[in-house]
Amino acid sequence: MSSSRNVNSKNSLLKWLPWILLLIVIAAFVWLFTSMRTPSEATWEPPRAQPIEQTASPILDTPVPVSSYHDAVARASQSVVNIYTTQTMAEHPYIDDPVLRRFFENQGDQQGPAATNLGSGVIVSADGYIVTNAHVVEKADEITVAFSDGSKSRAKVIGTDPDSDLAVIRVDITGLTPLGFREEPIRVGDLALAIGNPFGVGQTVTQGIISATGRTGLGVNKFEDFIQTDAAINPGNSGGALVDARGELVGINTVIFSRSGGSMGIGFAIPTALVEQVMNALIKDGRVSRGWLGIEIQSQLRDPTQLETTTGVEVLSVVPQGPAAKSGLQIGDVILTIDGVEMTDANTLIQYVARKPPNTALKTQILRRGKNAEVEIVLEERPVQEAVQRPVAMQQEGLGGINPHLQDNGDTPMMSEAERDRMREELMKLFEQDAAAQ
């Protein structure tokens, strides 16, 4: 019985085996056919751009989108003050003339009250020191400082530095809130907020970006290293604060480029690096001592159409017994680097040397008759030089703006005796004609 069952099982297996094998073969054909059709029927997609890697340095001014800079402004504005100065107008030299006096009476009182100017300033210490522009307090007989809380105080000048257009004044108040200086260098594209008192309307905030840094050669100050911004700066903003998105000071607003007296989106501020140097010197010594080479220089001529450009500063003349002369520097030498810093133009050299104190030794790489050489120059103190005449296009802020067609040198025009007698005769004729007409 058992043997017959085994025979039947084998017969059943052999009977179904061909069908099983057929199903396996069919399944294999189906899989092969499907795998061959998939690539040709796949949907085409354009190549995808790879994600841009984020820079390692954090973006300090724009970490996340913001809808308000209230916190930064609130932090900075309590340290920004309005400055009002008064200057007594000089009496006209011919005001006592009995004939000419009548002319002045017809034209209005020429003496009148003291002229009032306005500007802004930044508190830099809790014990009353305030930084502003030198032209804000220039020739001022009286200085009044108005704080953000509405209180006011008289101020005295600690020191001025017309070469950089910075000044330090002080009020007899303690417990003030100084504005913190930004430690990181400002960058083009960073947010900028200008805080000041434009046109005397009161403390105002305007917003923009940093348009450029290291602007020189404007002819505004002797020592220039301006921050350029498109944050609106108007008359009255002089001496005010330029801050970043965190409310930290990056510069002191100084000058605007304007053909109308108002903002045209080109304003300039003195960076905090220069402010700190001048401020500390004025507070400590009442004056700023700068390094001096004793040479006349010019930038190497550059042809913008040439692919190869020449950098360096050529020495045009050397002051006898000056620092450069003592070091052996000669006319015709081209200064390439100072302390390893490339001197790309004359302004770069002037700014670099001016920030060094006297008695500083500078290692200078020069090009002399086609050969490289090195000289060591020990700086001396820069002598006092004549004031810089500011161009009309660069207007510093004053009360009510500036008329670019009028330039006042501060002197009353004087007439000769013959001109004075002739004016008397003409005025007498006018008075007689007026009397006859009446």
Side-chain angles (χ1 to χ4, degrees), residues 390-414:
R390 292 182 173 85
V392 175
M394 296 294 176
Q395 299 293 359
Q396 291 178 322
E397 299 88 300
L399 185 62
I402 299 177
N403 186 340
H405 303 292
L406 299 179
Q407 295 295 321
D408 183 11
N409 60 7
D411 296 327
T412 303
M414 302 296 292

Side-chain angles (χ1 to χ4, degrees), residues 51-59:
I52 299 176
E53 296 183 2
Q54 298 294 329
T55 58
S57 60
I59 302 178

Side-chain angles (χ1 to χ4, degrees), residues 28-161:
F29 272 105
V30 170
W31 176 82
L32 182 62
F33 179 77
T34 303
S35 62
M36 292 177 62
R37 287 176 57 86
T38 301
S40 61
E41 295 178 358
T43 304
W44 180 86
E45 292 183 359
R48 302 295 182 184
Q50 296 295 324
I52 299 176
E53 296 183 2
Q54 298 294 329
T55 58
S57 60
I59 302 178
L60 300 175
D61 287 311
T62 55
V64 293
V66 295
S67 59
S68 174
Y69 295 103
H70 170 77
D71 292 341
V73 173
R75 184 182 302 112
S77 60
Q78 61 182 334
S79 303
V80 179
V81 300
N82 300 335
I83 298 177
Y84 301 90
T85 63
T86 56
Q87 179 183 354
T88 303
M89 303 300 293
E91 187 178 83
H92 199 283
Y94 307 131
I95 196 69
D96 293 329
D97 188 286
V99 175
L100 298 182
R101 173 69 180 178
R102 298 177 60 184
F103 172 76
F104 291 127
E105 290 174 352
N106 291 340
Q107 297 298 319
D109 189 359
Q110 296 296 305
Q111 184 174 4
T116 302
N117 295 313
L118 61 90
S120 304
V122 177
I123 300 172
V124 293
S125 73
D127 55 350
Y129 286 105
I130 297 172
V131 169
T132 184
N133 285 140
H135 75 264
V136 170
V137 297
E138 184 181 15
K139 299 180 180 179
D141 296 319
E142 190 174 72
I143 303 173
T144 303
V145 175
F147 298 91
S148 59
D149 60 1
S151 61
K152 296 181 180 180
S153 176
R154 297 281 188 240
K156 64 178 181 179
V157 176
I158 299 299
T160 63
D161 181 43

Side-chain angles (χ1 to χ4, degrees), residues 176-248:
L176 300 177
T177 303
L179 183 57
F181 285 33
R182 172 174 168 139
E183 296 181 359
E184 302 87 0
I186 197 70
R187 303 169 301 175
V188 175
D190 284 351
L191 181 83
L193 301 171
I195 307 177
N197 181 21
F199 297 107
V201 299
Q203 193 173 92
T204 303
V205 182
T206 56
Q207 182 229 342
I209 63 170
I210 301 299
S211 305
T213 59
R215 287 292 195 216
T216 60
L218 303 179
V220 180
N221 300 330
K222 289 181 182 176
F223 305 109
E224 299 177 344
D225 183 17
F226 288 117
I227 298 171
Q228 181 181 331
T229 179
D230 66 344
I233 298 175
N234 288 290
N237 273 112
S238 277
L242 187 69
V243 302
D244 61 12
R246 298 178 299 188
E248 296 178 350

Side-chain angles (χ1 to χ4, degrees), residues 202-389:
Q203 193 173 92
T204 303
V205 182
T206 56
Q207 182 229 342
I209 63 170
I210 301 299
S211 305
T213 59
R215 287 292 195 216
T216 60
L218 303 179
V220 180
N221 300 330
K222 289 181 182 176
F223 305 109
E224 299 177 344
D225 183 17
F226 288 117
I227 298 171
Q228 181 181 331
T229 179
D230 66 344
I233 298 175
N234 288 290
N237 273 112
S238 277
L242 187 69
V243 302
D244 61 12
R246 298 178 299 188
E248 296 178 350
L249 184 70
V250 300
I252 298 294
N253 299 321
T254 298
V255 68
I256 59 175
F257 180 90
S258 176
R259 301 185 187 279
S260 62
S263 174
M264 296 182 66
I266 303 178
F268 299 95
I270 302 172
T272 51
L274 183 56
V275 172
E276 185 174 1
Q277 175 200 5
V278 174
M279 174 189 72
N280 290 337
L282 291 178
I283 293 176
K284 180 181 178 182
D285 303 321
R287 56 187 291 271
V288 180
S289 179
R290 293 184 171 90
W292 178 61
L293 284 175
I295 57 176
E296 183 181 352
I297 56 176
Q298 73 171 6
S299 302
Q300 287 284 83
L301 296 179
R302 303 178 187 180
D303 186 350
T305 64
Q306 299 297 322
L307 297 180
E308 296 182 359
T309 58
T310 303
T311 62
V313 180
E314 182 180 359
V315 178
L316 298 182
S317 66
V318 179
V319 177
Q321 303 302 316
K326 295 176 182 178
S327 70
L329 205 65
Q330 301 176 6
I331 297 175
D333 290 346
V334 177
I335 300 176
L336 302 177
T337 65
I338 297 180
D339 294 337
V341 179
E342 184 179 9
M343 297 294 108
T344 56
D345 52 45
N347 283 316
T348 301
L349 187 147
I350 293 172
Q351 303 307 320
Y352 185 87
V353 173
R355 293 194 179 190
K356 300 293 183 179
N359 300 319
T360 301
L362 302 181
K363 293 183 178 180
T364 307
Q365 290 286 341
I366 64 172
L367 183 66
R368 176 178 295 172
R369 292 186 286 274
K371 295 182 180 180
N372 290 327
E374 180 176 321
V375 296
E376 184 175 272
I377 307 175
V378 179
L379 299 179
E380 296 180 6
E381 184 172 355
R382 184 180 183 88
V384 178
Q385 298 180 349
E386 70 281 357
V388 173
Q389 179 66 37

